[in-house]
Amino acid sequence: MNDDSHEDEAPKAEATLRRIHAARAESAAARAAALSHYVEKHGADDANAVWKAAHAGRVAAQALAVLAESGPDPAANARCARNAAAAAAQAALMGRSVDAGAEASAQAAQVALKASQAAAAAAGAERLGADATLNAAADEAERAAVTAAENAGWIIPGEKVPGMATGVRSPEMMSMLHL
């Protein structure tokens, strides 16, 4: 192999990693949006949970928007996916809260936390979003979080989830998201 073929492989690998991270971020952002709407509908008497779930949905939408605006950069793209998964985990905690400890909701919240941790590991400082094993584990954890959310009734398969507005992306928010 010559040097030119190595130069051609790098952009292809980065584009592939971008698609992997983007798919995970989209899934997590959709979970956060679904949970925000679920909590708003079922937790009307808990304004704190409604606000936190809505905020989580906005943060996930912001992470997804930043990913869509950026170029192929495995580290940055993995951070966006991590941030969307963390926001979805926060929304899942609010779902558990309004469901008053229902077993399926408690389990779904726990699985969402694991998905967030797996996404964080994939975006970790050592591998910078490029480790195939960590990415596969994060993808599997995300699929498990979606299934658990469906089992809890937070997501209804086939039902279109309304999108979330990103709100204002302040420098403080972008810094908090490590972007």
Side-chain angles (χ1 to χ4, degrees):
M1 228 187 265
N2 60 36
D3 287 339
D4 289 338
S5 64
H6 285 296
E7 289 175 10
D8 291 340
E9 289 175 14
K12 288 179 186 177
E14 286 182 354
T16 298
L17 286 169
R18 178 182 172 79
R19 283 192 299 277
I20 290 168
H21 295 307
R24 191 175 334 116
E26 288 171 12
S27 178
R31 276 192 303 117
L35 271 153
S36 175
H37 293 290
Y38 178 89
V39 171
E40 183 179 18
K41 183 177 179 181
H42 294 90
D45 58 335
D46 188 348
N48 188 46
V50 170
W51 184 88
K52 285 182 178 180
H55 181 67
R58 284 189 300 274
V59 169
Q62 287 179 5
L64 190 58
V66 168
L67 193 149
E69 295 165 2
S70 67
D73 177 346
N77 299 157
R79 286 192 305 272
C80 289
R82 174 205 62 205
N83 293 340
Q90 176 63 36
L93 293 174
M94 296 306 98
R96 180 186 71 190
S97 174
V98 301
D99 283 347
E103 182 61 34
S105 294
Q107 183 176 3
Q110 187 64 32
V111 174
L113 288 171
K114 288 180 183 176
S116 176
Q117 292 167 341
E126 257 183 50
R127 302 304 301 177
L128 300 173
D131 185 286
T133 302
L134 292 174
N135 284 326
D139 291 346
E140 180 58 35
E142 178 58 31
R143 286 189 293 275
V146 169
T147 299
E150 290 172 350
N151 292 340
W154 296 341
I155 297 174
I156 299 170
E159 183 177 281
K160 182 165 173 40
V161 176
M164 294 290 300
T166 60
V168 176
R169 281 194 266 164
S170 67
E172 293 82 10
M173 175 63 78
M174 298 304 283
S175 175
M176 181 182 80
L177 293 173
H178 303 285
L179 299 171

